[in-house]
Amino acid sequence: MNRTDLLKSLITDSGHKIYRELYGNDPELLKEQSLRYTNLLNTFISFSGATEPYFFSSPGRTEIGGNHTDHNLGRVLAGAVNLDNVAIAAKNNSNVVRIDSVGYPGFSVNLSELKPVKEELYSSAAIVRGVAAKLKERGFIIGGFDAVIDGRVPKGSGLSSSASFEVLIGAIFSNLFNDGTLDPIDNALTGQYAENHFFGKPCGLMDQTACSCGGLVTIDFEDPLNPVVRKIDFDFLSTGFDLIITDTGGSHDNLTPEYAAVFNEMKAVAEAFGLKVQRQLTIEKIIDSIPRLREKTGDRAILRAFHFHGDNNRVVRQVEALEKNDFSSFLSMVTESGYSSYMYNQNIYTVSNVHDQGVALGLVLSEYLLRGIGAWRVHGGGFAGTIQAFVPYELTNRYIETLEHAFGKGACHKLFIREKGSVKLGF
């Protein structure tokens, strides 16, 4: 029996422990996942003649603390979630990567060319080429493979579909050609390199690290080549709260300059002191130099620097609260972080389009429903897209009904933190 036939017999068991580890215990959801995997295998059989395929899963991530802190070498608190990208992949004995994605056009990447290709900017092909280039540079073996991918991390949702894809590709190269020896942190660094230098988007390292490592983690990026990652032992399921991400709509297209401005303005304040990033500064030094900074960097840059230091320190206190099982204090700090993003970091809406303020609308509805009993904040990059809320079980239905009344059916996603990062599955 080859692996294709073996997989056919294993993935139809919706009660398989792998499904439960990744997606929870809801019987209907597990049946849906079993069907998803079966359909993916059938698509792969039509797409590729390879008979030794393996399944891979890479989660999305939710940012829980530290909004726009990672790119200035700060701290974050993040978790891998149960929405994932699943791939089935096998070596094809060539030097070409061929990928077919459900709902998207297929593409191929010839690995004989490992330099950025201008025509591939902002494309999945650029990510694959960039991951391969970095892995080869670091001494890993690369080679051609066929893969079919089903992505369930909504694009533009703030759950990091791009980072999830990047570390998924890294996991495939690692397991098909290198016996799974690529460390999760190295996988994250590889994905970040591909996004920065091949895809063409500046980004920090939080998203890739959370997706690659799995679980609930706090990450300190003070040394960017050796980020300190620590898993947090906390059971969110025991709190009586649901973690809900709501897609408030709005496009992330053309927002790259807005994201870059957050990074560049924080950096500009640091450079005014002869430093490179905010992590090397203190609030006291900034306050002492405000007259000079107002002239040199402008007021918004100073406000964004204040946000960085507030959220960077807040992450430490959030972790302490969780480790002491002080969930009430944790919730208060989630909301504090949200206010800081709104008032100081100013990534709730773009000043070039004040007519569309979906994130702000989602936040005010959340405050109306959850003030004093829950928590809410912008989620991810901001300006458009998603918000995050911690909602008591007894209010979950009302919260979802209210938010989906504003943003449409299916806008809300009820999530949980999953322990597995980007991995080859043991089917």
Side-chain angles (χ1 to χ4, degrees):
M1 178 184 291
N2 61 35
R3 272 201 57 80
T4 302
D5 294 329
L6 177 63
L7 287 174
K8 287 179 181 178
S9 66
L10 293 176
I11 62 178
T12 55
D13 176 13
S14 62
H16 199 291
K17 68 175 184 177
I18 288 176
Y19 292 136
R20 296 198 304 274
E21 288 172 349
L22 298 180
Y23 308 112
N25 295 310
D26 184 330
E28 290 303 313
L29 178 59
L30 295 180
K31 287 180 184 178
E32 178 189 335
Q33 293 297 333
S34 175
L35 180 61
R36 175 193 185 193
Y37 279 63
T38 300
N39 290 339
L40 203 61
L41 176 59
N42 290 334
T43 302
F44 182 83
I45 291 170
S46 300
F47 175 68
S48 173
T51 58
E52 293 295 315
Y54 294 86
F55 274 105
F56 298 82
S57 169
S58 183
R61 72 95 184 95
T62 182
E63 166 204 287
I64 296 172
N67 187 239
H68 278 282
T69 51
D70 59 329
H71 50 59
N72 266 252
L73 305 189
R75 305 179 185 95
V76 298
L77 178 63
V81 299
N82 48 302
L83 296 179
D84 66 346
N85 288 312
V86 171
I88 180 169
K91 294 180 182 179
N92 61 19
N93 300 315
S94 77
N95 204 35
V96 176
V97 172
R98 300 194 313 144
I99 293 180
D100 189 26
S101 294
V102 176
Y104 295 92
F107 65 92
S108 61
V109 174
N110 192 321
L111 301 179
S112 60
E113 176 56 67
L114 294 178
K115 294 181 179 179
V117 176
K118 184 177 180 181
E119 292 74 20
E120 289 180 350
L121 275 175
Y122 311 122
S123 73
S124 298
I127 294 297
V128 173
R129 196 180 303 279
V131 168
K134 190 62 174 177
L135 289 176
K136 186 173 182 180
E137 176 188 307
R138 298 186 61 243
F140 287 92
I141 299 169
I142 61 172
F145 61 82
D146 292 342
V148 177
I149 299 174
D150 179 28
R152 298 285 178 92
V153 183
K155 193 174 182 181
S157 66
L159 296 172
S160 282
S161 57
S162 57
S164 177
F165 177 77
E166 290 156 16
V167 298
L168 176 68
I169 297 301
I172 293 172
F173 276 122
S174 175
N175 285 279
L176 292 186
F177 300 99
N178 297 278
D179 298 320
T181 54
L182 181 63
D183 178 84
I185 299 297
D186 289 335
N187 191 8
L189 288 164
T190 300
Q192 183 199 30
Y193 173 86
E195 186 162 341
N196 290 173
H197 298 282
F198 282 71
F199 185 83
K201 180 181 176 182
C203 69
L205 190 59
M206 174 186 70
D207 298 349
Q208 293 85 353
T209 304
C211 294
S212 184
C213 292
L216 181 66
V217 294
T218 184
I219 312 165
D220 189 332
F221 294 108
E222 187 169 22
D223 180 350
L225 296 180
N226 297 285
V228 178
V229 180
R230 183 162 67 87
K231 288 220 175 189
I232 307 302
D233 184 16
F234 183 82
D235 181 12
F236 269 110
L237 295 178
S238 68
T239 63
F241 283 75
D242 280 318
L243 169 59
I244 298 176
I245 299 295
T246 301
D247 186 353
T248 68
S251 173
H252 284 76
D253 294 341
N254 303 318
L255 287 179
T256 295
E258 296 279 8
Y259 300 134
V262 176
F263 166 75
N264 290 331
E265 289 180 16
M266 288 184 184
K267 192 167 183 280
V269 173
E271 288 175 342
F273 292 86
L275 304 172
K276 293 183 177 180
V277 290
Q278 278 299 314
R279 185 62 182 270
Q280 299 166 322
L281 261 178
T282 65
I283 282 289
E284 290 74 21
K285 287 183 179 179
I286 293 171
I287 293 173
D288 287 344
S289 302
I290 279 180
R292 177 172 66 91
L293 290 173
R294 294 190 72 188
E295 181 71 25
K296 189 173 183 64
T297 68
D299 292 342
R300 190 173 70 169
I302 300 170
L303 292 170
R304 284 175 162 168
F306 265 81
H307 166 77
F308 171 88
H309 290 282
D311 246 28
N312 190 50
N313 292 329
R314 196 174 287 114
V315 167
V316 176
R317 294 186 288 119
Q318 285 179 300
V319 170
E320 290 174 352
L322 290 175
E323 291 181 330
K324 292 177 181 177
N325 208 31
D326 184 0
F327 196 62
S328 177
S329 293
F330 166 79
L331 291 178
S332 295
M333 286 183 275
V334 169
T335 303
E336 285 176 15
S337 173
Y339 283 133
S340 179
S341 291
Y342 208 144
M343 294 187 293
Y344 309 136
N345 202 41
Q346 300 181 36
N347 61 320
I348 305 304
Y349 57 88
T350 172
V351 295
S352 64
N353 181 15
V354 295
H355 182 269
D356 296 322
Q357 296 191 27
V359 172
L361 181 59
L363 291 172
V364 76
L365 290 172
S366 299
E367 182 178 42
Y368 171 75
L369 292 167
L370 301 175
R371 180 188 285 274
I373 53 175
W376 58 96
R377 68 194 285 273
V378 67
H379 182 258
F383 299 108
T386 57
I387 63 169
Q388 176 190 80
F390 292 89
V391 183
Y393 288 162
E394 61 270 20
L395 275 181
T396 293
N397 289 340
R398 183 185 176 199
Y399 182 85
I400 291 175
E401 287 170 4
T402 302
L403 273 290
E404 291 193 345
H405 171 69
F407 302 112
K409 191 72 174 174
C412 294
H413 301 279
K414 191 161 65 171
L415 306 179
F416 67 83
I417 305 298
R418 86 173 209 185
E419 285 302 312
K420 288 188 178 296
S422 187
V423 291
K424 183 181 79 170
L425 300 178
F427 286 117

